[in-house]
Amino acid sequence: MRLAELSERSGVPTATIKYYLRERLLPPGERITTTKAEYGDTHLRRLRLVRALVQVGKMPVAAAREVLAAVEDESLDHHMRLGAAVWALPHDPAPTEETPEITAARGTADELLRRLGWQYGLKLGPVSPAYGMLVNALAALARLSYPHTVENVLPYARIAGELAAADLDLVEEYETPAEQVEAAVALTVLLEPVLLSLRRLAEAEESHRRFRADSS
């Protein structure tokens, strides 16, 4: 398909597609003349992913380019390629200083992973952005005297394990490894707001069930 058709089928303006091409967020089309190129279904898929990263995820172009480089890294096995692509997504910064709260939070995080049997998470812990986010979150809970023990967090972690299985069930519905990696990244970005909104709706429902005024 030509650029105009790619724009029509994707819903992305031609000027935006040209910008993505210049910024190397979209691979070049197959050149058919000096001024025209042909595009295919891979470009449609990639445009969906780029829109998820840049428009929904509000990701800077440089960060999106780094994620896409991980998506395209065929030197990795499937597990590592999926992990590298999701790992490249922006994360909150890791702890920058070893305060007593941070040290205690690391211990809590490690014990939590041990209790769950997440040996791979324990192995990656020191360098994993998600692990650093967990440590920061646990330390913040501790500083403000909110529940932050392993027992407090364990129910959330078990639900997270179920969510991870559901995520990868969705990813496996895509046929090729390349499509699966792209879907893993896009769904990570697109489903996080869904999870947040569902949690808040569920809390409102549970609060109504527990604490509503007796109208009788």
Side-chain angles (χ1 to χ4, degrees):
M1 73 188 89
R2 301 293 176 83
L3 185 63
E5 184 182 352
L6 178 63
S7 173
E8 182 179 352
R9 290 181 60 183
S10 66
V12 180
T14 55
T16 302
I17 295 175
K18 288 178 180 179
Y19 170 70
Y20 290 161
L21 287 165
R22 286 196 305 272
E23 294 295 329
R24 294 178 286 114
L25 299 180
L26 193 66
E30 182 180 351
R31 186 65 60 185
I32 54 176
T33 72
T34 55
T35 58
K36 294 181 181 178
E38 189 79 13
Y39 302 92
D41 289 340
T42 56
H43 291 89
L44 279 172
R45 286 204 327 267
R46 180 53 58 86
L47 274 173
R48 288 198 297 269
L49 177 55
V50 171
R51 292 178 77 186
L53 296 176
V54 175
Q55 295 181 8
V56 178
K58 307 300 182 186
M59 195 177 299
V61 166
R65 193 184 298 117
E66 183 179 346
V67 173
L68 294 172
V71 167
E72 294 170 348
D73 189 352
E74 297 181 356
S75 69
L76 302 174
D77 66 31
H78 197 39
H79 163 66
M80 294 302 295
R81 193 175 171 191
L82 281 167
V86 174
W87 193 306
L89 292 170
H91 295 80
D92 292 339
T96 55
E97 55 180 319
E98 200 64 25
T99 64
E101 292 87 359
I102 291 293
T103 301
R106 289 189 196 281
T108 301
D110 290 346
E111 178 60 23
L112 177 67
L113 296 177
R114 278 191 288 270
R115 290 274 296 276
L116 292 163
W118 293 2
Q119 297 302 316
Y120 188 67
L122 276 169
K123 178 181 176 182
L124 288 181
V127 293
S128 167
Y131 177 88
M133 290 170 63
L134 175 60
V135 169
N136 272 336
L138 291 171
L141 286 166
R143 279 192 294 270
L144 297 172
S145 300
Y146 283 106
H148 57 277
T149 67
V150 171
E151 294 300 332
N152 298 140
V153 183
L154 196 56
Y156 297 92
R158 287 175 174 149
I159 292 169
E162 295 177 13
L163 290 171
D167 283 344
L168 292 181
D169 285 345
L170 281 177
V171 166
E172 286 188 318
E173 292 181 9
Y174 293 83
E175 293 184 2
T176 68
E179 289 176 293
Q180 289 181 0
V181 175
E182 289 181 355
V185 173
L187 290 171
T188 298
V189 172
L190 296 173
L191 282 175
E192 284 184 347
V194 173
L195 295 175
L196 176 60
S197 59
L198 286 174
R199 182 189 180 196
R200 292 181 179 179
L201 286 167
E203 286 179 345
E205 193 71 21
E206 183 66 13
S207 175
H208 176 72
R209 186 185 69 79
R210 293 190 187 199
F211 306 128
R212 69 185 184 278
D214 190 352
S215 58
S216 59

